[in-house]
Amino acid sequence: MSQHERDRERDREREQEREREQGRLRAVFEAVLASALAGRGVPTCVGLDMETEDALWAIEVARPDVSPELVAAARRAFAGQLDGSNSARERERIARRFAAPEG
């Protein structure tokens, strides 16, 4: 097997692992969303980022009058976790905070 073939195989394996992880996260998100909608709380330390957890807590707090907009916001937050945009915003926020002059 050539180096190029090994590299392609490694890339394929990494992509498959990423897809498995995203599938696991999707299942976790759907379970936590159902929990929040049912008033059973929002478990933490299950792999969801803070932005997604905050959106799910907004649903929990709004019960029993959960608007479709809150559910849509939670789904958008989770999509941001999957595509990396939530963590990119957080890294930018941290960079700005440490780059700001003291005073």
Side-chain angles (χ1 to χ4, degrees), residues 41 43 49 52 99:
D49 67 12
T52 302

Side-chain angles (χ1 to χ4, degrees), residues 11 15 20 23 32 34 39 44 59 65-66 77 81-82 91 93 101:
D11 291 344
E15 181 61 22
R20 280 191 296 272
V32 176
T44 58
I59 290 170
D65 300 317
V66 177
Q81 177 174 349
L82 292 181
R91 283 191 306 273
R93 184 191 69 77

Side-chain angles (χ1 to χ4, degrees), residues 21-97:
E21 177 63 14
Q22 285 196 349
R24 185 194 70 76
L25 280 173
R26 282 187 182 89
V28 167
F29 172 78
E30 292 299 332
V32 176
L33 175 59
S35 178
L37 288 167
R40 293 189 308 264
V42 177
T44 58
C45 301
V46 294
L48 300 175
D49 67 12
M50 289 301 297
E51 191 167 332
T52 302
E53 283 186 11
D54 288 348
L56 290 164
W57 274 111
I59 290 170
E60 173 71 22
V61 169
R63 280 195 74 259
D65 300 317
V66 177
S67 69
E69 291 80 15
L70 283 177
V71 174
R75 291 193 181 282
R76 280 192 307 275
F78 180 62
Q81 177 174 349
L82 292 181
D83 71 16
S85 59
N86 292 358
S87 60
R89 275 192 304 281
E90 182 64 11
R91 283 191 306 273
E92 289 171 9
R93 184 191 69 77
I94 290 168
R96 281 192 309 274
R97 182 173 180 201

